[in-house]
Amino acid sequence: MTWNGGGSLSGERILIALGGNAMTAPDGSATPDAQAAAIEAAMGHVADLVAAGARVALTHGNGPQVGNLLIKNRLAAGVVPPVPLDWCGAQTQATVGMMIMNALERALAARGAARPVAALVTRTLVDASDPGFGAPAKPIGRYFPEEQARRSMALGEVWRPFGERGWRRVVASPEPLEILDAGAAAALLDAGHVVVAAGGGGAPVVRRDGTLRGVEAVVDKDLAAALLARRLGATTLVIATDVEHAMTGFGTPRARPLRRTTAAELAELAAAGHFASGSMGPKVEAVRRFVASGGRRAAIASLARLGDAARGRAGTVVEARAGTVVEARRGVETDDQSC
Ligand SMILES: NC(=O)OP(=O)(O)O
């Protein structure tokens, strides 16, 4: 059994955004077995927080999964009709959600903290005129060699190189404006469920002539998580990823882990270009938005340190408290971030 640091979390409402490492193998493979094993491991960490008394909501990414569905669409196009991207997004919410329900209920029972887990198909409102529709930038699916990417581009798809790892397909990713089903998620949370919502950022919809219609896009799950966390009245947002901290100067000799910081300092660092747009950028922006809009604490941390991060003791921790500002200015650089 794992334990992520002590201390009751009674009275806390925590939203956890799970990155790809919680759902795929370290090599990025998204086979059913690899996904199930990764989710099983991740849910042990989540169950520790619930067992410590926190009310927990989860959201999750879907980049690898939705990329796989699009490839299936293309390969099967002559046999069965392809389905739109918002349908694919909703499908990933259901499959990942179902696996989380099974694994988390098991992990909670093993800790004597049994309670129901519910996964909610969730829609996210976006603006039909969002510039993201004209500039696909959200990487999905796995990496492919350039030659294969160019063959797909000849079919009209947009792909981008990502260094030595290869090329990935990119799709439109408009700003999330509203998590439309947040009220249902809040009701489930209030009723004592652990709730999984806005998976894959939520299935994107626009309002047209008074009705909602799905659109071809994938919403960034970290930005959607910040919105959902505020709507659920979360005290804390934790973005669980595969690195210990956000870094300033990443990829340079001046790279340093960013430990305690503030929303204002994050904005300055982002404007100075410290965070890559396709990876750490949206995570930093999500924690910044959460705290800047009234959230108490947000963290970017490794999955293994989820509990410590929720308590403000690990990862890149953003808080609005005055003491935090002083520590950030002094450039605190210790692993012990206890309050
Ligand atoms: N939708 C989304 O942001 O998924 P990933 O986190 O897997 O990229």
Side-chain angles (χ1 to χ4, degrees):
M1 187 185 299
T2 54
W3 181 251
N4 284 316
S8 169
L9 290 169
S10 178
E12 300 287 324
R13 277 186 174 228
I14 302 175
L15 179 75
I16 303 164
L18 295 167
N21 66 320
M23 285 167 298
T24 52
D27 67 357
S29 60
T31 62
D33 283 350
Q35 291 186 61
I39 287 174
E40 190 82 29
M43 289 309 119
H45 299 294
V46 175
D48 285 342
L49 290 190
V50 179
R55 285 199 182 222
V56 170
L58 296 170
T59 191
H60 59 82
N62 71 347
Q65 293 81 3
V66 86
N68 285 354
L69 288 179
L70 286 187
I71 291 172
K72 283 185 194 170
N73 254 355
R74 192 205 308 144
L75 294 176
V79 188
V80 289
V83 299
L85 191 45
D86 58 310
W87 286 34
C88 295
Q91 285 175 33
T92 66
Q93 290 183 353
T95 48
V96 175
M98 183 269 296
M99 287 195 295
I100 288 176
M101 289 163 73
N102 288 342
L104 185 51
E105 286 187 353
R106 263 196 307 276
L108 289 169
R111 285 158 177 77
R115 71 204 61 202
V117 182
L120 188 67
V121 172
T122 313
R123 297 159 299 171
T124 295
L125 184 69
V126 302
D127 184 345
S129 60
D130 189 295
F133 283 108
K138 172 83 189 154
I140 58 165
R142 64 182 182 85
Y143 296 88
F144 281 93
E146 178 174 351
E147 194 182 291
Q148 222 160 328
R150 291 205 179 278
R151 277 203 296 272
S152 301
M153 288 165 75
L155 300 173
E157 296 176 5
V158 185
W159 288 64
R160 295 269 181 270
F162 288 88
E164 289 178 358
R165 299 185 72 181
W167 289 56
R168 286 182 88 184
R169 185 170 177 185
V170 289
V171 296
S173 192
E175 267 287 313
L177 300 179
E178 187 182 347
I179 309 300
L180 293 173
D181 304 292
L188 286 163
L189 199 60
D190 290 343
H193 289 65
V194 177
V195 63
V196 186
V205 295
V206 296
R207 205 167 258 135
R208 205 173 283 147
D209 303 326
T211 61
L212 296 170
R213 296 177 194 282
V215 284
E216 291 278 333
V218 173
V219 176
D220 184 273
K221 68 110 181 14
D222 297 312
L223 297 181
L227 271 185
L228 180 62
R230 291 293 294 139
R231 277 287 274 109
L232 296 181
T235 50
T236 304
L237 166 65
V238 181
I239 296 185
T241 183
D242 54 357
V243 294
E244 297 285 330
H245 307 91
M247 306 283 285
T248 56
F250 182 72
T252 74
R254 294 178 56 80
R256 297 177 78 193
L258 184 58
R259 299 176 193 277
R260 284 189 177 279
T261 185
T262 62
E265 187 185 46
L266 278 182
E268 282 174 27
L269 292 168
H274 281 277
F275 311 114
S277 60
S279 53
M280 193 51 79
K283 297 183 197 321
V284 166
E285 179 58 11
V287 295
R288 189 200 67 75
R289 286 183 189 181
F290 177 70
V291 173
S293 64
R296 196 186 71 198
R297 174 187 294 148
I300 300 168
S302 70
L303 190 55
R305 302 214 56 195
L306 191 56
D308 289 332
R311 294 173 174 89
R313 299 175 190 154
T316 295
V317 177
V318 195
E319 287 178 328
R321 294 183 305 113
T324 310
V325 178
V326 172
E327 287 180 14
R329 286 190 183 140
R330 282 182 189 149
V332 171
E333 286 290 327
T334 153
D335 235 348
D336 178 12
Q337 301 185 342
S338 9
C339 301

mmCIF file of all heavy atoms in Angstrom, residues 214-250:
data_model
loop_
_atom_site.group_PDB
_atom_site.id
_atom_site.type_symbol
_atom_site.label_atom_id
_atom_site.label_comp_id
_atom_site.label_asym_id
_atom_site.label_seq_id
_atom_site.Cartn_x
_atom_site.Cartn_y
_atom_site.Cartn_z
ATOM 1 N N GLY A 214 -21.850 19.593 -31.257
ATOM 2 C CA GLY A 214 -20.459 19.195 -31.109
ATOM 3 C C GLY A 214 -19.596 19.784 -32.210
ATOM 4 O O GLY A 214 -20.079 20.062 -33.311
ATOM 5 N N VAL A 215 -18.325 19.993 -31.898
ATOM 6 C CA VAL A 215 -17.397 20.532 -32.899
ATOM 7 C C VAL A 215 -16.117 19.687 -32.923
ATOM 8 O O VAL A 215 -15.783 18.989 -31.972
ATOM 9 C CB VAL A 215 -17.036 22.013 -32.620
ATOM 10 C CG1 VAL A 215 -18.185 22.919 -33.009
ATOM 11 C CG2 VAL A 215 -16.643 22.233 -31.168
ATOM 12 N N GLU A 216 -15.410 19.821 -34.047
ATOM 13 C CA GLU A 216 -14.177 19.044 -34.282
ATOM 14 C C GLU A 216 -13.015 19.687 -33.533
ATOM 15 O O GLU A 216 -12.372 20.614 -34.041
ATOM 16 C CB GLU A 216 -13.863 19.026 -35.781
ATOM 17 C CG GLU A 216 -14.824 18.220 -36.615
ATOM 18 C CD GLU A 216 -14.494 16.720 -36.578
ATOM 19 O OE1 GLU A 216 -13.322 16.352 -36.377
ATOM 20 O OE2 GLU A 216 -15.432 15.929 -36.750
ATOM 21 N N ALA A 217 -12.759 19.218 -32.327
ATOM 22 C CA ALA A 217 -11.687 19.800 -31.521
ATOM 23 C C ALA A 217 -11.399 18.894 -30.335
ATOM 24 O O ALA A 217 -12.171 17.970 -30.034
ATOM 25 C CB ALA A 217 -12.087 21.186 -31.025
ATOM 26 N N VAL A 218 -10.283 19.151 -29.670
ATOM 27 C CA VAL A 218 -9.968 18.523 -28.386
ATOM 28 C C VAL A 218 -9.598 19.651 -27.427
ATOM 29 O O VAL A 218 -8.650 20.399 -27.679
ATOM 30 C CB VAL A 218 -8.802 17.516 -28.499
ATOM 31 C CG1 VAL A 218 -8.394 17.012 -27.115
ATOM 32 C CG2 VAL A 218 -9.197 16.339 -29.394
ATOM 33 N N VAL A 219 -10.356 19.786 -26.355
ATOM 34 C CA VAL A 219 -10.098 20.849 -25.379
ATOM 35 C C VAL A 219 -8.930 20.434 -24.481
ATOM 36 O O VAL A 219 -8.793 19.258 -24.127
ATOM 37 C CB VAL A 219 -11.363 21.103 -24.533
ATOM 38 C CG1 VAL A 219 -11.099 22.128 -23.432
ATOM 39 C CG2 VAL A 219 -12.513 21.572 -25.429
ATOM 40 N N ASP A 220 -8.098 21.395 -24.120
ATOM 41 C CA ASP A 220 -6.997 21.082 -23.211
ATOM 42 C C ASP A 220 -7.556 20.732 -21.826
ATOM 43 O O ASP A 220 -8.302 21.516 -21.238
ATOM 44 C CB ASP A 220 -6.052 22.287 -23.106
ATOM 45 C CG ASP A 220 -4.860 21.950 -22.245
ATOM 46 O OD1 ASP A 220 -4.950 22.109 -21.012
ATOM 47 O OD2 ASP A 220 -3.858 21.494 -22.807
ATOM 48 N N LYS A 221 -7.152 19.555 -21.326
ATOM 49 C CA LYS A 221 -7.769 19.093 -20.084
ATOM 50 C C LYS A 221 -7.302 19.904 -18.872
ATOM 51 O O LYS A 221 -8.033 20.007 -17.886
ATOM 52 C CB LYS A 221 -7.504 17.600 -19.856
ATOM 53 C CG LYS A 221 -6.069 17.219 -19.571
ATOM 54 C CD LYS A 221 -5.859 16.766 -18.158
ATOM 55 C CE LYS A 221 -4.431 16.401 -17.827
ATOM 56 N NZ LYS A 221 -3.328 16.741 -18.663
ATOM 57 N N ASP A 222 -6.120 20.489 -18.920
ATOM 58 C CA ASP A 222 -5.646 21.269 -17.774
ATOM 59 C C ASP A 222 -6.419 22.586 -17.660
ATOM 60 O O ASP A 222 -6.789 22.996 -16.561
ATOM 61 C CB ASP A 222 -4.137 21.509 -17.878
ATOM 62 C CG ASP A 222 -3.356 20.209 -17.821
ATOM 63 O OD1 ASP A 222 -3.642 19.398 -16.912
ATOM 64 O OD2 ASP A 222 -2.502 19.979 -18.692
ATOM 65 N N LEU A 223 -6.664 23.228 -18.782
ATOM 66 C CA LEU A 223 -7.441 24.472 -18.752
ATOM 67 C C LEU A 223 -8.890 24.181 -18.337
ATOM 68 O O LEU A 223 -9.496 24.943 -17.571
ATOM 69 C CB LEU A 223 -7.397 25.164 -20.119
ATOM 70 C CG LEU A 223 -6.006 25.610 -20.587
ATOM 71 C CD1 LEU A 223 -6.093 26.300 -21.938
ATOM 72 C CD2 LEU A 223 -5.342 26.533 -19.559
ATOM 73 N N ALA A 224 -9.432 23.076 -18.829
ATOM 74 C CA ALA A 224 -10.788 22.690 -18.420
ATOM 75 C C ALA A 224 -10.808 22.360 -16.926
ATOM 76 O O ALA A 224 -11.772 22.677 -16.210
ATOM 77 C CB ALA A 224 -11.258 21.493 -19.238
ATOM 78 N N ALA A 225 -9.739 21.741 -16.431
ATOM 79 C CA ALA A 225 -9.664 21.375 -15.005
ATOM 80 C C ALA A 225 -9.721 22.620 -14.122
ATOM 81 O O ALA A 225 -10.359 22.611 -13.068
ATOM 82 C CB ALA A 225 -8.381 20.599 -14.731
ATOM 83 N N ALA A 226 -9.052 23.695 -14.552
ATOM 84 C CA ALA A 226 -9.070 24.928 -13.756
ATOM 85 C C ALA A 226 -10.489 25.472 -13.646
ATOM 86 O O ALA A 226 -10.928 25.890 -12.569
ATOM 87 C CB ALA A 226 -8.138 25.972 -14.373
ATOM 88 N N LEU A 227 -11.228 25.436 -14.755
ATOM 89 C CA LEU A 227 -12.618 25.901 -14.739
ATOM 90 C C LEU A 227 -13.477 25.014 -13.849
ATOM 91 O O LEU A 227 -14.258 25.494 -13.032
ATOM 92 C CB LEU A 227 -13.195 25.819 -16.161
ATOM 93 C CG LEU A 227 -13.061 27.004 -17.107
ATOM 94 C CD1 LEU A 227 -13.817 26.686 -18.393
ATOM 95 C CD2 LEU A 227 -13.626 28.269 -16.476
ATOM 96 N N LEU A 228 -13.330 23.701 -14.027
ATOM 97 C CA LEU A 228 -14.146 22.753 -13.254
ATOM 98 C C LEU A 228 -13.852 22.891 -11.760
ATOM 99 O O LEU A 228 -14.766 22.860 -10.925
ATOM 100 C CB LEU A 228 -13.867 21.316 -13.725
ATOM 101 C CG LEU A 228 -14.639 20.224 -13.003
ATOM 102 C CD1 LEU A 228 -16.148 20.378 -13.215
ATOM 103 C CD2 LEU A 228 -14.185 18.835 -13.477
ATOM 104 N N ALA A 229 -12.585 23.043 -11.425
ATOM 105 C CA ALA A 229 -12.206 23.158 -10.011
ATOM 106 C C ALA A 229 -12.899 24.350 -9.362
ATOM 107 O O ALA A 229 -13.405 24.265 -8.241
ATOM 108 C CB ALA A 229 -10.689 23.291 -9.896
ATOM 109 N N ARG A 230 -12.968 25.466 -10.064
ATOM 110 C CA ARG A 230 -13.631 26.637 -9.491
ATOM 111 C C ARG A 230 -15.135 26.394 -9.366
ATOM 112 O O ARG A 230 -15.738 26.771 -8.377
ATOM 113 C CB ARG A 230 -13.361 27.879 -10.368
ATOM 114 C CG ARG A 230 -11.924 28.347 -10.326
ATOM 115 C CD ARG A 230 -11.501 28.891 -8.949
ATOM 116 N NE ARG A 230 -12.197 30.099 -8.612
ATOM 117 C CZ ARG A 230 -12.687 30.397 -7.395
ATOM 118 N NH1 ARG A 230 -12.547 29.544 -6.406
ATOM 119 N NH2 ARG A 230 -13.322 31.536 -7.181
ATOM 120 N N ARG A 231 -15.720 25.739 -10.380
ATOM 121 C CA ARG A 231 -17.180 25.475 -10.333
ATOM 122 C C ARG A 231 -17.550 24.494 -9.222
ATOM 123 O O ARG A 231 -18.644 24.533 -8.692
ATOM 124 C CB ARG A 231 -17.657 24.932 -11.685
ATOM 125 C CG ARG A 231 -17.930 25.992 -12.690
ATOM 126 C CD ARG A 231 -19.229 26.787 -12.380
ATOM 127 N NE ARG A 231 -20.405 26.136 -12.928
ATOM 128 C CZ ARG A 231 -21.351 25.512 -12.228
ATOM 129 N NH1 ARG A 231 -21.265 25.443 -10.917
ATOM 130 N NH2 ARG A 231 -22.389 24.946 -12.820
ATOM 131 N N LEU A 232 -16.616 23.603 -8.864
ATOM 132 C CA LEU A 232 -16.888 22.631 -7.808
ATOM 133 C C LEU A 232 -16.545 23.188 -6.434
ATOM 134 O O LEU A 232 -16.684 22.496 -5.434
ATOM 135 C CB LEU A 232 -16.084 21.342 -8.050
ATOM 136 C CG LEU A 232 -16.433 20.546 -9.311
ATOM 137 C CD1 LEU A 232 -15.581 19.282 -9.397
ATOM 138 C CD2 LEU A 232 -17.918 20.175 -9.331
ATOM 139 N N GLY A 233 -16.033 24.399 -6.388
ATOM 140 C CA GLY A 233 -15.618 24.970 -5.102
ATOM 141 C C GLY A 233 -14.415 24.258 -4.524
ATOM 142 O O GLY A 233 -14.270 24.159 -3.294
ATOM 143 N N ALA A 234 -13.542 23.760 -5.400
ATOM 144 C CA ALA A 234 -12.357 23.039 -4.914
ATOM 145 C C ALA A 234 -11.436 24.000 -4.169
ATOM 146 O O ALA A 234 -11.256 25.150 -4.571
ATOM 147 C CB ALA A 234 -11.617 22.394 -6.083
ATOM 148 N N THR A 235 -10.862 23.495 -3.076
ATOM 149 C CA THR A 235 -9.851 24.276 -2.363
ATOM 150 C C THR A 235 -8.511 24.165 -3.079
ATOM 151 O O THR A 235 -7.696 25.084 -3.034
ATOM 152 C CB THR A 235 -9.689 23.755 -0.929
ATOM 153 O OG1 THR A 235 -9.509 22.329 -0.969
ATOM 154 C CG2 THR A 235 -10.901 24.101 -0.085
ATOM 155 N N THR A 236 -8.297 23.015 -3.710
ATOM 156 C CA THR A 236 -6.983 22.707 -4.274
ATOM 157 C C THR A 236 -7.128 22.057 -5.637
ATOM 158 O O THR A 236 -7.988 21.194 -5.820
ATOM 159 C CB THR A 236 -6.226 21.732 -3.331
ATOM 160 O OG1 THR A 236 -6.155 22.328 -2.037
ATOM 161 C CG2 THR A 236 -4.830 21.424 -3.828
ATOM 162 N N LEU A 237 -6.269 22.460 -6.552
ATOM 163 C CA LEU A 237 -6.156 21.811 -7.871
ATOM 164 C C LEU A 237 -4.761 21.223 -7.972
ATOM 165 O O LEU A 237 -3.776 21.937 -7.758
ATOM 166 C CB LEU A 237 -6.354 22.857 -8.981
ATOM 167 C CG LEU A 237 -5.948 22.438 -10.396
ATOM 168 C CD1 LEU A 237 -6.836 21.301 -10.923
ATOM 169 C CD2 LEU A 237 -6.018 23.636 -11.350
ATOM 170 N N VAL A 238 -4.685 19.926 -8.265
ATOM 171 C CA VAL A 238 -3.372 19.312 -8.476
ATOM 172 C C VAL A 238 -3.311 18.759 -9.894
ATOM 173 O O VAL A 238 -4.166 17.958 -10.292
ATOM 174 C CB VAL A 238 -3.084 18.161 -7.484
ATOM 175 C CG1 VAL A 238 -1.688 17.591 -7.736
ATOM 176 C CG2 VAL A 238 -3.191 18.640 -6.045
ATOM 177 N N ILE A 239 -2.320 19.188 -10.646
ATOM 178 C CA ILE A 239 -2.094 18.642 -11.980
ATOM 179 C C ILE A 239 -0.976 17.613 -11.857
ATOM 180 O O ILE A 239 0.178 17.963 -11.582
ATOM 181 C CB ILE A 239 -1.752 19.764 -12.972
ATOM 182 C CG1 ILE A 239 -2.979 20.681 -13.087
ATOM 183 C CG2 ILE A 239 -1.349 19.189 -14.324
ATOM 184 C CD1 ILE A 239 -2.874 21.779 -14.104
ATOM 185 N N ALA A 240 -1.362 16.357 -11.974
ATOM 186 C CA ALA A 240 -0.398 15.260 -11.795
ATOM 187 C C ALA A 240 0.206 14.908 -13.143
ATOM 188 O O ALA A 240 -0.515 14.611 -14.103
ATOM 189 C CB ALA A 240 -1.107 14.049 -11.194
ATOM 190 N N THR A 241 1.520 14.930 -13.213
ATOM 191 C CA THR A 241 2.187 14.688 -14.485
ATOM 192 C C THR A 241 3.396 13.778 -14.265
ATOM 193 O O THR A 241 3.469 13.086 -13.253
ATOM 194 C CB THR A 241 2.526 16.053 -15.139
ATOM 195 O OG1 THR A 241 3.103 15.827 -16.411
ATOM 196 C CG2 THR A 241 3.463 16.898 -14.282
ATOM 197 N N ASP A 242 4.311 13.746 -15.233
ATOM 198 C CA ASP A 242 5.426 12.803 -15.114
ATOM 199 C C ASP A 242 6.727 13.493 -14.703
ATOM 200 O O ASP A 242 7.794 12.904 -14.809
ATOM 201 C CB ASP A 242 5.618 12.020 -16.415
ATOM 202 C CG ASP A 242 5.773 12.926 -17.610
ATOM 203 O OD1 ASP A 242 5.673 14.163 -17.430
ATOM 204 O OD2 ASP A 242 5.980 12.417 -18.722
ATOM 205 N N VAL A 243 6.639 14.744 -14.269
ATOM 206 C CA VAL A 243 7.834 15.430 -13.765
ATOM 207 C C VAL A 243 7.537 15.987 -12.376
ATOM 208 O O VAL A 243 6.375 16.179 -12.005
ATOM 209 C CB VAL A 243 8.294 16.575 -14.704
ATOM 210 C CG1 VAL A 243 8.762 16.015 -16.040
ATOM 211 C CG2 VAL A 243 7.183 17.599 -14.904
ATOM 212 N N GLU A 244 8.593 16.257 -11.632
ATOM 213 C CA GLU A 244 8.428 16.698 -10.237
ATOM 214 C C GLU A 244 7.976 18.151 -10.126
ATOM 215 O O GLU A 244 7.301 18.525 -9.175
ATOM 216 C CB GLU A 244 9.755 16.544 -9.480
ATOM 217 C CG GLU A 244 10.249 15.103 -9.363
ATOM 218 C CD GLU A 244 9.460 14.305 -8.341
ATOM 219 O OE1 GLU A 244 8.976 14.894 -7.374
ATOM 220 O OE2 GLU A 244 9.314 13.086 -8.547
ATOM 221 N N HIS A 245 8.407 18.992 -11.087
ATOM 222 C CA HIS A 245 8.119 20.418 -11.011
ATOM 223 C C HIS A 245 8.017 20.987 -12.429
ATOM 224 O O HIS A 245 8.563 20.422 -13.365
ATOM 225 C CB HIS A 245 9.268 21.212 -10.364
ATOM 226 C CG HIS A 245 9.717 20.717 -9.038
ATOM 227 N ND1 HIS A 245 10.722 19.792 -8.884
ATOM 228 C CD2 HIS A 245 9.294 21.036 -7.797
ATOM 229 C CE1 HIS A 245 10.893 19.552 -7.601
ATOM 230 N NE2 HIS A 245 10.047 20.281 -6.919
ATOM 231 N N ALA A 246 7.401 22.149 -12.538
ATOM 232 C CA ALA A 246 7.641 22.991 -13.714
ATOM 233 C C ALA A 246 9.057 23.544 -13.568
ATOM 234 O O ALA A 246 9.555 23.699 -12.458
ATOM 235 C CB ALA A 246 6.626 24.127 -13.755
ATOM 236 N N MET A 247 9.705 23.801 -14.690
ATOM 237 C CA MET A 247 11.081 24.314 -14.660
ATOM 238 C C MET A 247 11.118 25.690 -15.318
ATOM 239 O O MET A 247 10.431 25.925 -16.313
ATOM 240 C CB MET A 247 12.016 23.398 -15.458
ATOM 241 C CG MET A 247 11.990 21.930 -15.067
ATOM 242 S SD MET A 247 12.878 21.593 -13.573
ATOM 243 C CE MET A 247 14.572 21.702 -14.138
ATOM 244 N N THR A 248 11.961 26.549 -14.800
ATOM 245 C CA THR A 248 12.285 27.763 -15.552
ATOM 246 C C THR A 248 13.548 27.459 -16.345
ATOM 247 O O THR A 248 14.383 26.659 -15.916
ATOM 248 C CB THR A 248 12.517 28.968 -14.619
ATOM 249 O OG1 THR A 248 13.549 28.632 -13.683
ATOM 250 C CG2 THR A 248 11.257 29.341 -13.878
ATOM 251 N N GLY A 249 13.647 28.053 -17.509
ATOM 252 C CA GLY A 249 14.830 27.834 -18.349
ATOM 253 C C GLY A 249 14.971 26.397 -18.801
ATOM 254 O O GLY A 249 16.094 25.920 -19.029
ATOM 255 N N PHE A 250 13.874 25.702 -18.950
ATOM 256 C CA PHE A 250 13.930 24.280 -19.328
ATOM 257 C C PHE A 250 14.750 24.085 -20.605
ATOM 258 O O PHE A 250 14.624 24.835 -21.569
ATOM 259 C CB PHE A 250 12.511 23.748 -19.536
ATOM 260 C CG PHE A 250 12.478 22.285 -19.888
ATOM 261 C CD1 PHE A 250 12.771 21.331 -18.939
ATOM 262 C CD2 PHE A 250 12.175 21.877 -21.177
ATOM 263 C CE1 PHE A 250 12.750 19.986 -19.260
ATOM 264 C CE2 PHE A 250 12.149 20.532 -21.513
ATOM 265 C CZ PHE A 250 12.444 19.593 -20.535
#
